[in-house]
Amino acid sequence: QVPLKPGRSLMDWIRLTKSGKDLTGLKGRLIEVTEDELAKHNKKEDCWICIRGFVYNVTPYMEYHPGGEDELMKAAGTDGTDLFDQVHRWVNYESMLKECLVGRMAVKPIAAPKGESLFLHKGEGCCIYSVFLQQIPEDETILYMKTFTIKYILVCPKKVYVVFAVLYFSFYSYDWFQTDNSITVVIYTKQKDMNAELVIVDCQDKRLRGEIIVGDHSYLVEVDLDHAVQEDVAVNIAEKVGKIEIILKKKDNVHWKMLGQPLESHNTFIKRTDRGLFYRKCKLVSKTEVTHDTKLFRLMLPKSTHLHVPTGQHVYLKKNIAGTEVVKPYTPVLPFLPLDFKEPFSHDGAHIYLMIKIYSCGLFTQALDHLQIGDYISVSNPEGNFKKSQVQTLEDLFLLAAGTGFTPMVKLLNFALTEVSCLRTVKLIFFNKTEDDILWRNQLEQLALKDERFEVQFILSQPTKDWVGKQGKISSSLLSEFVKISRKDSKVLICICGPTPFTEQGVQ
């Protein structure tokens, strides 16, 4: 993030979008934009960007962008979808930039080669997972047909064009059956390491959504149910065979003729990043003070939701502020730091705990702080690239955290000390401005006394004269003092989280 000029906050931007001012320069008209036309608008004073097929004039937004003008200019006059997804896919740009919408990108027609007629053959097989037109030399066609399930084959005299889909139906399928009082949806994944963190189920207003996470992809069952069901949803997972049962209680004792109408994304297997974020409303049940400016929010999931946030992953909170949807990411923590690591911490699965710093001029955190007990806020599915396998064979684990960058370390710390048997040392190097800013200081000190593998080092950048511990900011000299491995050939992982300058300096 970069410092913004006075009068360039998110609230100021929302006010500008509501002012009625023409932010596109087209006086309310929507146009179709060609690639050539888009490329012309590539300067700071005239900057158009395409995101997912829609073109926005982001010139008026330049001074309001938290990442600075230079970041926006990387996509000036081009399709910025990939760049946007890498940096902040979670941002609700449709809502933020709706007054800047220029129009749609013009679609290029795909033409057959000159003088060649195309014949369409529809093959049997699975739903299309990732459709693209691939020109394949005739002698390689058989190889491709063995590798993929063919959905369509476009045949012309000299070449074979194949629109194909990765075969997944041999792995994923679903079925359903009923009794007088219940409906059971069964998903067969044939994944031997299936667990509760890989299954996300929501049932809202007769809409059943069951998502199975498989690495970077997900399989989705999504239907508009034939009849109403009760709020309680049960999920059973047979981990060894990868069978998942979603058990719904009927509201009325009637015989269902069908499970329901399939929705658009039903029975699909696609990349998680292409899936889009799904939200459910969670109730705020408690809010407790951690430090002078940080609070622990306890959110209750709906009874009809099954969701466990994996270690190292985050969720997004979404709130409507002055008519604009604002979204921010937060990493769930535990309700407290366990001191006994003989047994894994038993998570009830009903709540999400978020440790959030309230900024005096922060639009979103101020809105969160004004939530009353019993109020609702939208919470997304988990996201993140961190995998537990990165930790399971470690001997030394170093955690570098600054401020609320401590939050992803909480579950990681718990997982490492509980389930990684080969671990020799876990060291948390925790940077803060003052003593009053240190999150869960007492709990961390107690843990260091209780478990000889764990050590914590507090470092302050603005200490009082009474502070006897280490002081300063992250630097190579400071880290070389604390980051010491137990032996030369030790397996080591260093995790870092905090404000961008802290992270960049730490990585260097």
Side-chain angles (χ1 to χ4, degrees):
Q1 293 198 340
V2 298
L4 297 172
K5 295 176 185 174
R8 295 296 182 270
S9 69
L10 175 58
M11 196 67 227
D12 293 314
W13 172 250
I14 291 171
R15 287 193 196 101
L16 178 60
T17 62
K18 308 287 182 202
S19 67
K21 189 175 178 182
D22 177 17
L23 300 182
T24 63
L26 298 173
K27 298 178 181 175
R29 287 184 304 119
L30 291 177
I31 63 171
E32 193 173 61
V33 184
T34 63
E35 279 187 19
D36 291 343
E37 181 63 30
L38 177 63
K40 292 175 188 174
H41 302 270
N42 62 352
K43 303 175 185 65
K44 278 189 182 178
E45 61 277 7
D46 178 21
C47 182
W48 289 10
I49 292 175
C50 173
I51 306 176
R52 294 196 177 89
F54 289 91
V55 178
Y56 298 89
N57 181 355
V58 299
T59 315
Y61 184 59
M62 284 281 177
E63 292 187 343
Y64 296 85
H65 184 236
E69 296 177 358
D70 291 343
E71 287 299 307
L72 282 179
M73 287 305 296
K74 287 178 183 176
T78 67
D79 188 327
T81 306
D82 288 345
L83 185 64
F84 175 84
D85 283 346
Q86 286 168 27
V87 181
H88 38 37
R89 185 173 86 85
W90 44 274
V91 170
N92 193 333
Y93 65 91
E94 297 103 325
S95 180
M96 296 277 289
L97 298 175
K98 60 188 173 189
E99 299 303 323
C100 301
L101 180 64
V102 171
R104 280 181 180 271
M105 281 298 291
V107 179
K108 276 184 173 177
I110 300 175
K114 239 181 180 179
E116 296 178 355
S117 55
L118 294 177
F119 306 94
L120 180 68
H121 166 72
K122 184 175 180 183
E124 298 303 319
C126 64
C127 294
I128 291 186
Y129 139 64
S130 179
V131 182
F132 52 99
L133 199 62
Q134 174 73 47
Q135 184 175 326
I136 300 171
E138 208 166 356
D139 56 346
E140 291 180 27
T141 307
I142 300 302
L143 173 66
Y144 270 82
M145 291 183 76
K146 282 180 180 174
T147 312
F148 300 100
T149 291
I150 306 301
K151 185 70 178 180
Y152 298 102
I153 305 176
L154 302 176
V155 187
C156 62
K158 294 179 184 173
K159 303 182 186 75
V160 177
Y161 295 84
V162 181
V163 181
F164 56 82
V166 171
L167 175 62
Y168 70 88
F169 261 133
S170 59
F171 301 102
Y172 295 91
S173 61
Y174 80 99
D175 201 355
W176 72 282
F177 58 87
Q178 63 183 308
T179 65
D180 288 345
N181 347 332
S182 70
I183 297 288
T184 301
V185 179
V186 186
I187 300 172
Y188 303 96
T189 71
K190 297 185 183 174
Q191 295 279 329
K192 290 181 180 177
D193 51 355
M194 189 54 56
N195 63 66
E197 291 182 348
L198 303 176
V199 180
I200 305 168
V201 176
D202 288 274
C203 195
Q204 303 171 357
D205 304 321
K206 284 178 63 186
R207 177 189 181 187
L208 173 66
R209 187 182 192 281
E211 185 174 1
I212 314 302
I213 308 301
V214 190
D216 297 330
H217 291 71
S218 82
Y219 173 70
L220 186 68
V221 169
E222 190 173 35
V223 292
D224 189 3
L225 295 170
D226 208 29
H227 295 277
V229 293
Q230 293 180 34
E231 197 179 2
D232 287 17
V233 171
V235 177
N236 296 332
I237 301 166
E239 296 189 8
K240 290 182 180 176
V241 294
K243 186 175 87 168
I244 295 139
E245 292 181 341
I246 303 169
I247 302 159
L248 312 168
K249 293 178 185 172
K250 293 179 179 178
K251 258 195 177 169
D252 303 305
N253 190 357
V254 294
H255 183 78
W256 291 26
K257 292 181 179 174
M258 59 188 292
L259 180 61
Q261 291 295 330
L263 296 168
E264 187 181 355
S265 298
H266 174 63
N267 205 23
T268 56
F269 181 86
I270 64 172
K271 278 189 174 179
R272 289 177 72 186
T273 49
D274 295 336
R275 182 70 76 192
L277 290 170
F278 181 82
Y279 289 86
R280 76 277 302 146
K281 289 192 177 298
C282 296
K283 186 196 284 188
L284 177 65
V285 289
S286 71
K287 188 167 49 172
T288 53
E289 205 168 90
V290 180
T291 67
H292 62 101
D293 63 359
T294 303
K295 294 181 180 178
L296 187 67
F297 291 73
R298 180 161 65 112
L299 303 172
M300 185 165 70
L301 292 163
K303 287 183 181 177
S304 56
T305 292
H306 172 277
L307 170 67
H308 293 259
V309 182
T311 298
Q313 294 198 13
H314 52 271
V315 295
Y316 300 103
L317 299 189
K318 180 171 70 174
K319 190 154 178 33
N320 195 301
I321 300 173
T324 297
E325 281 188 347
V326 184
V327 180
K328 295 283 180 186
Y330 294 98
T331 306
V333 298
L334 301 174
F336 53 86
L337 209 53
L339 299 178
D340 185 357
F341 292 107
K342 288 173 187 167
E343 291 292 326
F345 179 81
S346 59
H347 178 55
D348 62 6
H351 298 94
I352 289 177
Y353 296 84
L354 300 171
M355 198 182 285
I356 298 173
K357 183 173 180 177
I358 311 298
Y359 293 91
S360 57
C361 53
L363 183 67
F364 195 78
T365 58
Q366 284 294 324
L368 288 183
D369 198 30
H370 285 108
L371 286 175
Q372 301 298 308
I373 302 304
D375 287 350
Y376 286 84
I377 186 156
S378 296
V379 179
S380 79
N381 282 1
E383 280 212 338
N385 300 319
F386 189 85
K387 292 177 175 62
K388 284 181 178 177
S389 56
Q390 293 171 255
V391 186
Q392 280 163 336
T393 57
L394 284 185
E395 291 168 89
D396 293 310
L397 174 63
F398 295 96
L399 310 174
L400 311 182
T404 47
F406 167 65
T407 56
M409 311 303 182
V410 175
K411 281 189 172 183
L412 179 54
L413 196 56
N414 178 60
F415 172 74
L417 292 172
T418 307
E419 299 185 45
V420 184
S421 56
C422 49
L423 205 60
R424 294 165 183 265
T425 59
V426 180
K427 190 159 188 175
L428 171 65
I429 304 157
F430 197 179
F431 293 78
N432 285 279
K433 286 182 180 176
T434 71
E435 276 187 88
D436 292 339
D437 295 322
I438 301 173
L439 302 167
W440 281 358
R441 180 180 179 178
N442 289 341
Q443 292 190 48
L444 289 166
E445 288 174 337
Q446 283 180 50
L447 178 57
L449 291 171
K450 188 96 176 173
D451 195 312
E452 61 183 16
R453 295 170 298 169
F454 177 66
E455 186 184 336
V456 61
Q457 182 72 51
F458 302 115
I459 301 173
L460 303 182
S461 60
Q462 297 173 15
T464 62
K465 59 182 181 182
D466 300 325
W467 175 250
V468 293
K470 281 283 174 184
Q471 52 184 289
K473 293 189 174 182
I474 192 165
S475 65
S476 55
S477 58
L478 206 63
L479 292 183
S480 63
E481 190 178 337
F482 298 117
V483 180
K484 292 176 180 174
I485 59 173
S486 56
R487 57 179 199 182
K488 282 185 180 178
D489 59 347
S490 178
K491 288 186 179 178
V492 182
L493 179 67
I494 301 177
C495 298
I496 183 164
C497 189
T500 305
F502 169 86
T503 306
E504 287 175 352
Q505 183 71 21
V507 168
Q508 286 173 25

